[in-house]
Amino acid sequence: MNGSEFVPLSLTPLLIGVLAAVACALPGNFLVLRRQALIGDAISHVVLPGIVVAFLLTGVIAAWPMMLGAAGAAVVAVVLIEAIRRLGRIEPGAAMGVVFTTMFAAGVLLLEQTDTSTVHLDVEHALYGNLESLIWLDATGWASLLDPVALAGLPVELARILVTLIGVAGFIWLFWRALKLSTFDAGFARTLGIRTNLLGLALVIVAAVAAVAAFDAVGSIIVIAMFICPPAAARMMTNTLEGQVGWSVIFAILSAVLGYVLAGYGPLWLGARDAVSAAGMIATISGLILALAARFGPCRTRSGAPVQV
C-alpha cells in the first residue's frame, strides 16, 4: 500500500486506535494497582444507555451531549447501587453487578428498538466500534499532512481523542505524587493532607471521560481491554511505577498497531477474502501480550511484590 492509499484509508483509523488505547491504559495503571481494574468494564456498561438517551433527545452525536448523557447514567447507577444495597441488604459487589448488567442490557435494548440505523450508533458499533470507517476523505497522500485544506477534513474523532489523551496525561502528571501515595499507602497519604477519597473519585471520572471519548470511535471492547491488559502486562515487566506506566504505553501502542494491521491483512495472508474487526483484533492482541508477559515477564514470579515508589 502506497502513501496515496495508506494516508486517506488507514492513517487516521490507526492514529485514533493508538490514541484511544493509550488514553485508557494510562489511568488503567492506577486502577489495576488499586485492585479496581473492572471499573473500566463497569464504566463501559453504565455509559451505554446514557449515550443512547442523549442521542435520542438531541438527535446528534456530539461530544457534550454524550458526556452529559454518560455522566447522568453514572449518577443513576450510583443511586441504584446504593438503593439496592440498602433495601436488599446485600453486598456492594452484588448490587454493582445487578445495576451494571441491567443498565447495559437497557442500552442494547434501546439501540435495537430505536431507529439508529442511519447514524454511527448501533449495537455493532457500540460493542466493536467502527475504526475502519474513520477515513480521511480529503487526503491524497503524505503531502496532505501539510495541506491546511486537507487537514480541515480530518475526522472529528481524532481531535476529540487527542484532547482527551492530553487531559488524561495532564491529570496524571499534575497529581503524580498524590496518586502514588494514595495508591500504595492511603493512610500515610491522609496524614499528609491528601484527600484520598476525592482523588480516587477524580481518577474514576478521568477514566470515565477517556472511556466515553473512545466509546464512539472504537467501541466498548477496546475500552475494556485497554484499561486492563496493557497495565496488567506492564506490571509483570517491572516493579517500579514509572516503568509500569512506560511499559503500558508501549504495549497499548503495540496492540493498536499490530491489531489494526492483522485485522486488515491477517485473513488475506491466511487465504480468506474478508477482513475482520479491527477493534476485536486489537483487544485480542492486547490479551496475547498479557499472556506472554504472564509467562515470560521478569516479575511474573513475584506478582505479589510491592511496586517501588
Side-chain angles (χ1 to χ4, degrees):
M1 180 181 291
N2 53 38
S4 62
E5 296 178 349
F6 174 78
V7 174
L9 298 179
S10 297
L11 179 61
T12 49
L14 185 60
L15 287 176
I16 291 171
V18 168
L19 295 175
V22 175
C24 293
L26 286 176
N29 284 284
F30 296 95
L31 295 177
V32 168
L33 292 172
R34 290 166 178 250
R35 300 175 184 256
Q36 297 176 333
L38 289 180
I39 281 182
D41 187 16
I43 292 171
S44 298
H45 282 72
V46 167
V47 300
L48 179 58
I51 291 174
V52 177
V53 170
F55 167 73
L56 294 177
L57 292 177
T58 62
V60 296
I61 297 181
W64 282 110
M66 288 176 59
M67 293 289 185
L68 293 175
V75 172
V76 171
V78 171
V79 173
L80 288 177
I81 290 170
E82 187 65 18
I84 293 174
R85 186 184 69 83
R86 289 177 178 272
L87 298 176
R89 297 180 180 179
I90 60 177
E91 295 181 354
M96 285 189 289
V98 171
V99 172
F100 293 155
T101 53
T102 301
M103 293 189 68
F104 187 75
V108 173
L109 183 62
L110 283 172
L111 284 174
E112 287 292 288
Q113 297 300 318
T114 55
D115 183 18
T116 59
S117 58
T118 59
V119 296
H120 180 72
L121 187 67
D122 54 36
V123 173
E124 180 183 354
H125 292 159
L127 294 177
Y128 303 107
N130 198 20
L131 270 175
E132 297 85 351
S133 70
L134 302 178
I135 58 178
W136 187 9
L137 294 175
D138 296 334
T140 57
W142 292 109
S144 299
L145 296 174
L146 301 176
D147 184 359
V149 177
L151 291 174
L154 281 169
V156 295
E157 290 83 359
L158 179 60
R160 185 183 306 163
I161 197 64
L162 177 60
V163 171
T164 301
L165 174 58
I166 293 173
V168 170
F171 170 81
I172 292 177
W173 175 79
L174 186 62
F175 296 100
W176 177 260
R177 179 173 176 272
L179 285 169
K180 287 172 64 175
L181 291 174
S182 62
T183 296
F184 298 110
D185 195 338
F188 177 65
R190 283 191 291 269
T191 63
L192 295 179
I194 298 174
R195 302 178 66 178
T196 55
N197 292 335
L198 186 60
L199 186 61
L201 178 61
L203 177 63
V204 172
I205 291 174
V206 168
V209 170
V212 173
F215 199 89
D216 176 45
V218 300
S220 64
I221 287 182
I222 287 186
V223 172
I224 296 170
M226 290 302 118
F227 270 125
I228 299 175
C229 291
R235 176 65 186 89
M236 301 178 195
M237 301 300 295
T238 179
N239 278 329
T240 65
L241 182 58
E242 291 80 1
Q244 177 177 328
V245 172
W247 274 109
S248 70
V249 172
I250 292 173
F251 287 151
I253 295 173
L254 191 62
S255 298
V257 174
L258 287 181
Y260 187 84
V261 172
L262 291 177
Y265 295 100
L268 300 179
W269 295 336
L270 297 176
R273 299 179 58 184
D274 299 322
V276 298
S277 167
M281 183 59 73
I282 291 172
T284 301
I285 295 298
S286 69
L288 291 176
I289 291 175
L290 175 57
L292 291 174
R295 179 63 182 87
F296 302 106
C299 299
R300 70 190 188 281
T301 58
R302 295 183 294 149
S303 58
V307 177
Q308 298 177 15
V309 297

